[in-house]
Amino acid sequence: MSEKSRLDEIREELKKLDISPTIFARKEIHELPDILSADEKIVSLVEGRNKLNNHHIILVATDRRLIFVDKEFMYGLKVEDFSYSKISSIQYETAFLLASIDIQVTDDVVEIDGVGKYHAELFCEKVREFMSRPETHFQSKPEPSVLDQLEQLGRLKETGVLSDEEFLEQKKKLIEKL
């Protein structure tokens, strides 16, 4: 049985949410496993263009934060994330087929245009849902699942922190919890 990579899990999450990123978002999507925590869930994603530099970007809403991802060949990777409690407003403006999204974060405005009209509306609704939740939702961290703990054990073994015997012993204890 082959283990699913974090990227495969992310692709499945997007598919369940009926989000089909274009080929232009491929670079940014490939960066998500390194950006998201193991148990962080995507609730919405849109792609568009950064109004400042005209780069293709994705904007990801998770169950914890809003993340702006810009991966350009010549400029490297730019990731900005915003706590929902720091977002004072999010709005969209539609044109014929496309929309733009403006997000007011503290004293800054993040502007994305070239977003699909329907996707912009859904994205803003999801973000508003999380903005209206009490702060405690963002700070409570759920207990890691047994699978997450097994993954972490595997990494500890790979890096030499755990011996084979220690790994097998801990693995057995975790599997008994299933």
Side-chain angles (χ1 to χ4, degrees), residues 51-93:
K51 281 189 178 179
L52 293 175
N53 58 21
N54 208 29
H55 288 179
H56 191 275
I57 56 96
I58 62 173
L59 199 53
V60 184
T62 74
D63 55 354
R64 298 181 192 169
R65 59 194 168 139
L66 187 64
I67 310 164
F68 171 97
V69 184
D70 180 0
K71 171 77 170 156
E72 288 295 321
F73 177 71
M74 296 297 287
Y75 306 103
L77 175 66
K78 180 179 181 187
V79 177
E80 288 184 82
D81 68 332
F82 309 102
S83 161
Y84 289 114
S85 63
K86 301 281 187 256
I87 299 171
S88 52
S89 74
I90 182 168
Q91 55 202 22
Y92 64 94
E93 190 175 310

Side-chain angles (χ1 to χ4, degrees), residues 19-30:
I19 298 171
S20 304
T22 67
I23 192 166
F24 301 109
R26 186 173 49 205
K27 299 179 307 283
E28 287 83 7
I29 300 289
H30 278 270

Side-chain angles (χ1 to χ4, degrees), residues 63 128-138:
D63 55 354
R128 284 187 195 113
E129 278 177 36
F130 281 91
M131 287 169 60
S132 66
R133 291 186 179 183
E135 185 69 31
T136 55
H137 281 268
F138 307 112

Side-chain angles (χ1 to χ4, degrees), residues 2 9 19-20 22 29 50-51 56 59 70 80 95 100 102 104 107 111 119 123-124 127 131 153 173 177-178:
S2 67
E9 290 172 5
I19 298 171
S20 304
T22 67
I29 300 289
N50 180 343
K51 281 189 178 179
H56 191 275
L59 199 53
D70 180 0
E80 288 184 82
S100 63
D102 292 345
Q104 179 76 43
D107 295 332
E111 299 174 293
H119 300 293
F123 185 84
C124 290
V127 171
M131 287 169 60
L153 262 182
K173 286 180 185 175
K177 289 183 181 180
L178 288 175

Side-chain angles (χ1 to χ4, degrees), residues 7-178:
L7 183 58
D8 290 334
E9 290 172 5
I10 289 168
R11 286 184 177 135
E12 281 182 18
E13 275 182 62
L14 293 175
K15 193 173 182 180
K16 284 179 189 168
L17 293 167
D18 200 25
I19 298 171
S20 304
T22 67
I23 192 166
F24 301 109
R26 186 173 49 205
K27 299 179 307 283
E28 287 83 7
I29 300 289
H30 278 270
E31 294 296 329
L32 288 178
D34 295 328
I35 296 168
L36 301 175
S37 333
D39 56 346
E40 191 169 10
K41 299 286 176 228
I42 295 172
V43 294
S44 192
L45 180 147
V46 291
E47 55 185 293
R49 293 208 146 314
N50 180 343
K51 281 189 178 179
L52 293 175
N53 58 21
N54 208 29
H55 288 179
H56 191 275
I57 56 96
I58 62 173
L59 199 53
V60 184
T62 74
D63 55 354
R64 298 181 192 169
R65 59 194 168 139
L66 187 64
I67 310 164
F68 171 97
V69 184
D70 180 0
K71 171 77 170 156
E72 288 295 321
F73 177 71
M74 296 297 287
Y75 306 103
L77 175 66
K78 180 179 181 187
V79 177
E80 288 184 82
D81 68 332
F82 309 102
S83 161
Y84 289 114
S85 63
K86 301 281 187 256
I87 299 171
S88 52
S89 74
I90 182 168
Q91 55 202 22
Y92 64 94
E93 190 175 310
T94 61
F96 179 59
L97 289 172
L98 298 175
S100 63
I101 297 176
D102 292 345
I103 304 160
Q104 179 76 43
V105 186
T106 317
D107 295 332
D108 196 17
V109 177
V110 177
E111 299 174 293
I112 293 93
D113 60 7
V115 178
K117 193 156 84 172
Y118 172 73
H119 300 293
E121 183 178 349
L122 282 178
F123 185 84
C124 290
E125 283 175 17
K126 284 288 186 189
V127 171
R128 284 187 195 113
E129 278 177 36
F130 281 91
M131 287 169 60
S132 66
R133 291 186 179 183
E135 185 69 31
T136 55
H137 281 268
F138 307 112
Q139 293 173 344
S140 64
K141 195 169 178 187
E143 182 70 28
S145 72
V146 172
L147 291 175
D148 290 336
Q149 292 176 44
L150 283 168
E151 278 182 26
Q152 189 173 5
L153 262 182
R155 287 193 292 274
L156 291 172
K157 180 184 171 216
E158 282 175 21
T159 57
V161 174
L162 290 177
S163 68
D164 288 342
E165 296 80 26
E166 291 169 322
F167 169 77
L168 291 172
E169 181 182 325
Q170 295 301 319
K171 180 181 167 186
K172 184 180 175 191
K173 286 180 185 175
L174 285 172
I175 289 175
E176 286 171 1
K177 289 183 181 180
L178 288 175

